[in-house]
Amino acid sequence: DTEVTQTPKHLVMGMTNKKSLKCEQHMGHRAMYWYKQKAKKPPELMFVYSYEKLSINESVPSRFSPECPNSSLLNLHLHALQPEDSALYLCASRGTPYGYTFGSGTRLTVV
Amino acid sequence: EDQVTQSPEALRLQEGESSSLNCSYTVSGLRGLFWYRQDPGKGPEFLFTLYSAGEEKEKERLKATLTKKESFLHITAPKPEDSATYLCAPTAGGTSYGKLTFGQGTILTVHP
């Protein structure tokens, strides 16, 4: 299995809702990432987990809360988001020799 | 501060018309430089990793090269299915270890 699986593929949520994005990989990678990508822009790093511990937080607002329950699973909990948070959220994992493997993303729309 | 600049921003080619994309970078302690292809609404798809100046890698119609300051992605005899956004991303060591810093990308359109 050489894939990173993200669910759901699409999500529409209100500004008062709580939702979660899920990312799963079974390649034995011990580093996992969340990226945010706005239209016509490159992916921007949000969080890095290394060996299930948060190692990098790129000053992301607290309405985004990451969680890494085990080495295969990464969640991103969302609460009280703003319309400007609408974007493609990408999960990635890192291992050799294939470098970083990205999932297909979750298209999030905040209404 | 690490900087990555890709050029051109957009490139239109006729099928079969070869060209090159450029990625200029300023990164302290380069550990590797990655090239990705991204189709609209999809996640980036891995193409190449280059680790040291002088290194070259090839895959079908694509060839990536690396110098100390820039990387090139050469596309030979492109086909319409090569149309996509091409992203380069160097990664460094130290406190930046594990971070990919993407360039703005080059949008490639290949017309039949």
Side-chain angles (χ1 to χ4, degrees):
Chain A
D1 187 354
T2 58
E3 290 187 345
V4 173
T5 303
Q6 290 188 244
T7 55
K9 294 190 182 304
H10 301 275
L11 178 62
V12 179
M13 61 184 291
M15 290 187 285
T16 59
N17 291 159
K18 286 185 180 181
K19 297 287 184 182
S20 297
L21 309 185
K22 179 181 175 181
C23 172
E24 200 162 3
Q25 59 89 12
H26 297 286
M27 294 178 281
H29 293 174
R30 302 310 297 270
M32 297 184 75
Y33 302 75
W34 281 114
Y35 280 83
K36 173 182 177 179
Q37 187 174 25
K38 302 283 280 185
K40 300 188 185 300
K41 296 290 186 181
E44 294 182 355
L45 182 65
M46 300 175 70
F47 302 104
V48 180
Y49 272 84
S50 180
Y51 290 86
E52 295 99 72
K53 293 186 178 180
L54 183 64
S55 60
I56 296 177
N57 177 340
E58 292 288 88
S59 302
V60 178
S62 61
R63 57 185 184 269
F64 295 91
S65 176
E67 178 195 21
C68 189
N70 59 59
S71 60
S72 299
L73 188 58
L74 187 66
N75 298 319
L76 186 62
H77 303 296
L78 314 172
H79 177 230
L81 294 192
Q82 304 297 309
E84 57 265 29
D85 296 320
S86 298
L88 181 68
Y89 287 84
L90 294 162
C91 174
S93 68
R94 177 170 59 89
T96 58
Y98 301 112
Y100 299 75
T101 302
F102 283 83
S104 295
T106 293
R107 172 69 62 188
L108 174 67
T109 303
V110 181
V111 297
Chain B
E1 182 179 331
D2 296 344
Q3 289 192 341
V4 187
T5 304
Q6 289 189 246
S7 61
E9 291 184 10
L11 181 62
R12 294 176 176 270
L13 299 174
Q14 289 297 126
E15 184 172 3
E17 179 186 3
S18 301
S19 188
S20 296
L21 313 182
N22 177 263
C23 172
S24 297
Y25 63 90
T26 305
V27 172
S28 298
L30 182 75
R31 296 290 295 262
L33 187 140
F34 295 83
W35 281 98
Y36 284 87
R37 168 200 170 118
Q38 187 174 27
D39 294 304
K42 301 286 184 65
E45 176 188 344
F46 172 77
L47 293 174
F48 303 107
T49 310
L50 301 167
Y51 292 102
S52 58
E55 188 174 3
E56 298 182 353
K57 288 191 177 175
E58 289 188 65
K59 178 181 178 181
E60 296 181 352
R61 296 178 292 282
L62 300 176
K63 178 180 177 180
T65 63
L66 182 67
T67 72
K68 288 186 177 180
K69 294 184 178 181
E70 53 190 356
S71 178
F72 293 93
L73 185 65
H74 307 279
I75 303 177
T76 302
K79 298 182 177 181
E81 53 262 41
D82 295 322
S83 298
T85 297
Y86 290 84
L87 297 162
C88 75
T91 184
T95 56
S96 297
Y97 182 70
K99 294 175 61 172
L100 279 182
T101 303
F102 285 94
Q104 293 296 311
T106 293
I107 302 171
L108 174 65
T109 305
V110 182
H111 297 283

